[in-house]
């Protein structure tokens, strides 16, 4: 395969951790330890900490993207406790859509996720669309079928140009690897990444899809190299390890090597 020119992204998914007070401190510490050229860094704190993280980084490190972990599929209405895409204006420039924990706990279907994707892009939020199979699917070799169904469901009805323009990123997160300490292999991640590009090309009728594809699932500073050694993998969506500055420093430093190598080969 030709050397990839795709951007290298490390996104931190803080899930339901941190408060507005300690999130700003953590964001500042991580930002100071991850200033690596050419790596796109994103921090996704809980909704209530978006403003404090934004304020903490606005002066010091405005290059860090700030993302929400979810968004509602309607613009407004009687949806108690929900947050719509326009409400995130000024708070976030990225959003995670379709995380497996929301598929599991909040009943997010591929159709709903597709609607969220549209709302995100329309509001100028750069979406990280998460896909990934359950362990049982992988054990019977159905992982690509599952990811194909998730992707085609979410992408249906969206103009490729709108999603491209909106900066779509796809994160492959095998459910069995999330929060379990059991990561996929670099080869598995690369194989799925190739499959994802083919699926997107089929869905969009394109010849060469250049959507960045991240790997997520128990990524740490100790295993990130295995993923980034694969030219098909464009970075990581990091959960547990993203709350630890040492871990983030190691992960982003390794991502910087990949980013530098891609620039050199340009
Ligand atoms: P993990 O989570 O790194 O803790 O496995 C990844 C994710 O859910 O995005």
């Amino acid at each position: 395969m030709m050397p990839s020119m795709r951007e290298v992204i490390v996104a931190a998914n803080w899930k339901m951790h941190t408060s507005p007070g300690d999130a700003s401190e953590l964001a500042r510490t991580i930002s100071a330890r991850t200033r690596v050229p050419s790596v796109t860094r994103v921090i996704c704190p809980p909704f209530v900490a978006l403003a404090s993280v934004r304020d903490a980084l606005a002066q010091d490190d405005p290059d860090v993207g700030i993302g929400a972990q979810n968004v509602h599929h309607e613009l407004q209405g009687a949806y108690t406790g929900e947050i719509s895409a326009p409400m995130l204006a000024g708070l976030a420039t990225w959003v995670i859509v379709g995380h497996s924990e929301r598929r599991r706990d909040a009943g997010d279907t591929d159709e709903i996720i597709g609607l969220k994707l549209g709302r995100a892009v329309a509001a100028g939020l750069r979406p990280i669309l998460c896909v990934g199979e359950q362990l049982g699917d992988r054990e019977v070799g159905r992982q690509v079928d599952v990811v194909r169904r998730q992707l085609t469901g979410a992408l249906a009805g969206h103009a490729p140009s709108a999603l491209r323009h909106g900066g779509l990123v796809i994160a492959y997160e095998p459910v069995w690897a999330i929060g379990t300490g059991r990561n996929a292999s670099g080869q598995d991640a690369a194989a799925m990444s190739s499959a994802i590009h083919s699926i997107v090309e089929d869905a969009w009728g394109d010849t060469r899809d250049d959507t960045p594809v991240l790997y997520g699932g128990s990524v740490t500073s100790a295993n990130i190299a295995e993923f980034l050694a694969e030219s098909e993998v464009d970075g990581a969506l990091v959960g547990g390890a993203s709350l630890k500055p040492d871990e983030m420093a190691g992960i982003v430093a390794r991502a910087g090597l990949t980013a530098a190598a891609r620039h050199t080969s340009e």
Side-chain angles (χ1 to χ4, degrees):
M1 189 192 155
M2 291 280 291
S4 172
M5 308 305 166
R6 292 190 293 265
E7 84 185 288
V8 178
I9 301 169
V10 176
N13 175 10
W14 286 358
K15 307 193 180 188
M16 200 169 72
H17 296 287
T18 72
S19 64
D22 53 26
S24 53
E25 194 52 44
L26 182 60
R28 242 186 248 113
T29 307
I30 289 174
S31 101
R33 299 197 53 195
T34 57
R35 291 185 196 199
V36 173
S38 306
V39 177
T40 300
R41 293 165 296 156
V42 186
I43 294 180
C44 304
F47 282 123
V48 294
L50 285 170
S52 66
V53 169
R54 174 201 61 194
D55 293 346
L57 299 179
Q59 294 287 324
D60 287 3
D61 200 352
D63 289 344
V64 177
I66 299 175
Q69 298 174 14
N70 179 43
V71 69
H72 199 263
H73 62 280
E74 294 289 358
L75 292 174
Q76 60 183 28
Y79 301 101
T80 303
E82 296 290 347
I83 307 282
S84 72
M87 291 176 187
L88 291 167
L91 288 169
T93 52
W94 291 71
V95 65
I96 297 171
V97 172
H99 192 281
S100 66
E101 286 154 12
R102 292 205 55 87
R103 293 177 190 259
R104 180 194 67 199
D105 300 335
D108 283 10
T109 61
D110 294 324
E111 190 189 349
I112 294 280
I113 291 162
L115 295 172
K116 291 179 181 214
L117 202 54
R119 295 299 187 197
V121 168
L125 297 165
R126 205 172 161 186
I128 301 175
L129 170 62
C130 300
V131 294
E133 81 285 356
Q134 305 277 346
L135 185 57
D137 299 318
R138 178 161 284 269
E139 281 172 348
V140 295
R142 290 196 61 244
Q143 64 271 19
V144 173
D145 294 340
V146 170
V147 167
R148 182 181 294 112
R149 195 187 61 230
Q150 292 172 334
L151 273 179
T152 50
L155 298 178
H158 295 297
S161 58
L163 293 181
R164 266 219 178 95
H165 185 71
L168 175 68
V169 174
I170 295 171
Y172 168 53
E173 298 205 307
V175 176
W176 48 271
I178 296 178
T180 58
R182 177 181 172 190
N183 57 283
S185 70
Q187 279 179 345
D188 287 342
M192 184 60 86
S193 191
S194 296
I196 286 172
H197 286 299
S198 306
I199 294 164
V200 172
E201 283 157 19
D202 285 351
W204 289 357
D206 270 357
T207 49
R208 178 84 178 87
D209 167 54
D210 56 4
T211 304
V213 178
L214 315 183
Y215 168 75
S218 297
V219 170
T220 65
S221 59
N223 64 27
I224 184 68
E226 178 175 351
F227 300 105
L228 289 177
E230 304 287 342
S231 63
E232 301 280 351
V233 177
D234 301 312
L237 178 57
V238 188
S242 75
L243 293 157
K244 301 176 186 155
D246 285 350
E247 285 292 310
M248 283 298 283
I251 291 166
V252 177
R254 178 59 187 78
L257 300 181
T258 294
R262 289 186 180 189
H263 276 263
T264 314
S265 62
E266 243 171 297

